[in-house]
Amino acid sequence: MRIRNIFIFAAAVFAGALGGSIIGPRPAEAVAREIIDLQRDVTALLQGQKDMSTQITQDNAVLKTLVGQASDNVNKLNATMGSVQKSVQDVQANSGARLDTMSTQVQGLSDNLEEIKSRLGKLNQQLVDLQSAVQSIDSKVSGSAPSTTSPTNATPTGSGMAAVPSAGAGASPAPSADMLYSNGLRDITSGKYDLARQEFQDYLKYYSDTDLASNAQFYLGEIAYSQKRYQEAVSEYDKVLTVYPKSFKLAPARLKKGMALIEQGQKPAGVRELREVVKRYPGTEEERRARAKLKELGVATTAAG
């Protein structure tokens, strides 16, 4: 379009010059010089148009290259962000697993302390009973009272000691309750889960009516959870809740049952258990962990309605 306008303009100028030469006589040399100047101007205009077109083509090529490079950079950035997100997710997953392991170990250490305190109490009671027996013997000796029972044949028993079950004829006696429980705690905290499972199962077999029986049952659930056998873990935690309704492991058992259900893919059931923890055990560490898990799942801490 622009070139056509240039030609029209040039033709008009040429026609004007020619008309002027016809109307008014002009020297032939002057007319020829004007025509030459006009042709030179037209040639310069055409060359300018050509240079401009070339420049535009070059600029478009450069722009296309820059756009391509920018697109490649965006794709690389997206790939890098995807890699970073995956790394963050892996770190979060590993952190969660480590936190669960640490929680189990802390529970074990806490129970170790409780067991030590319990054993100290039993030893103290035995000492009191022994002192009473010695004082009784001393009073009898000082009073020259005849003794019907030899003191060396009397065996003081503490009221808090668990009786070791008698073994059948020819069978070796069962390990003591303290030994089984202590060994189980030691092995679970050091990651020897199969050995710890056997020890806690033996504890429940021989000493199911003791104060620490519910703890042993809880740790069977912890072992299954640590080994990612979530269905078995749910069953073991359920036994704590149903068989030992007065256990101080009720809150952690319900919390871990909910976690195991979620890991097993039963999210609605797991959410119900976590909400029960929030409802039943306010102000506890288990309530805090339940709230954090519910928030992570994007659900409310209480059911709607």
Side-chain angles (χ1 to χ4, degrees):
M1 177 65 76
R2 185 170 182 179
I3 295 175
R4 188 177 64 181
N5 291 337
I6 293 172
F7 275 119
I8 293 172
F9 174 73
V13 172
F14 182 75
L18 182 60
S21 64
I22 295 174
I23 296 173
R26 299 184 62 187
E29 183 178 347
V31 173
R33 187 167 52 252
E34 288 181 0
I35 291 174
I36 292 171
D37 292 341
L38 182 59
Q39 288 176 341
R40 186 169 57 249
D41 292 341
V42 170
T43 301
L45 287 172
L46 291 174
Q47 184 62 42
Q49 176 67 21
K50 183 179 179 180
D51 293 343
M52 184 179 296
S53 177
T54 302
Q55 186 64 41
I56 290 174
T57 301
Q58 292 175 349
D59 290 345
N60 284 337
V62 172
L63 183 60
K64 181 184 284 188
T65 301
L66 292 175
V67 170
Q69 291 176 348
S71 178
D72 290 341
N73 290 334
V74 169
N75 291 334
K76 291 178 181 178
L77 182 59
N78 286 335
T80 302
M81 289 299 296
S83 177
V84 170
Q85 286 179 335
K86 186 176 184 305
S87 298
V88 170
Q89 291 172 352
D90 291 343
V91 169
Q92 289 176 338
N94 292 334
S95 298
R98 285 197 294 270
L99 284 174
D100 286 333
T101 302
M102 290 175 63
S103 174
T104 300
Q105 292 175 344
V106 169
Q107 290 275 0
L109 293 174
S110 174
D111 285 350
N112 258 328
L113 180 59
E114 291 296 327
E115 183 206 1
I116 291 172
K117 290 165 64 177
S118 174
R119 293 174 68 179
L120 286 174
K122 293 173 184 177
L123 290 173
N124 184 62
Q125 183 62 44
Q126 279 186 305
L127 181 60
V128 170
D129 292 342
L130 184 59
Q131 287 175 338
S132 297
V134 170
Q135 289 174 356
S136 175
I137 293 171
D138 286 343
S139 64
K140 289 179 180 180
V141 170
S142 62
S144 300
S147 175
T148 60
T149 303
S150 174
T152 57
N153 293 332
T155 303
T157 57
S159 60
M161 295 295 290
V164 178
S166 60
S172 59
S176 70
D178 290 342
M179 179 182 295
L180 278 175
Y181 190 82
S182 298
N183 290 346
L185 284 179
R186 179 197 62 211
D187 290 330
I188 194 175
T189 53
S190 60
K192 299 176 182 177
Y193 296 128
D194 292 335
L195 186 56
R197 181 191 301 108
Q198 185 60 53
E199 287 159 342
F200 285 127
Q201 286 174 342
D202 286 345
Y203 187 94
L204 291 173
K205 177 180 178 181
Y206 296 118
Y207 310 104
S208 60
D209 57 347
T210 62
D211 293 338
L212 296 176
S214 65
N215 291 24
Q217 181 61 59
F218 173 78
Y219 284 118
L220 289 176
E222 292 289 87
I223 292 168
Y225 189 96
S226 297
Q227 294 181 326
K228 299 184 178 181
R229 300 199 311 273
Y230 298 118
Q231 185 173 357
E232 179 183 340
V234 169
S235 177
E236 300 291 3
Y237 292 133
D238 256 337
K239 291 177 183 177
V240 178
L241 300 173
T242 56
V243 180
Y244 306 99
K246 296 182 179 180
S247 170
F248 68 91
K249 290 293 186 184
L250 294 180
R254 192 172 293 276
L255 172 70
K256 294 303 289 290
K257 177 186 175 183
M259 297 282 198
L261 287 169
I262 292 169
E263 292 289 349
Q264 199 177 350
Q266 300 182 32
K267 181 178 175 181
V271 167
R272 282 197 298 271
E273 293 296 334
L274 295 181
R275 285 172 172 167
E276 281 295 309
V277 173
V278 173
K279 177 181 176 181
R280 295 187 183 203
Y281 312 105
T284 62
E285 174 65 15
E286 287 75 20
E287 183 216 9
R288 186 192 66 78
R289 293 182 62 190
R291 285 183 180 276
K293 187 64 177 179
L294 291 170
K295 183 178 180 181
E296 177 187 326
L297 296 172
V299 296
T301 54
T302 56

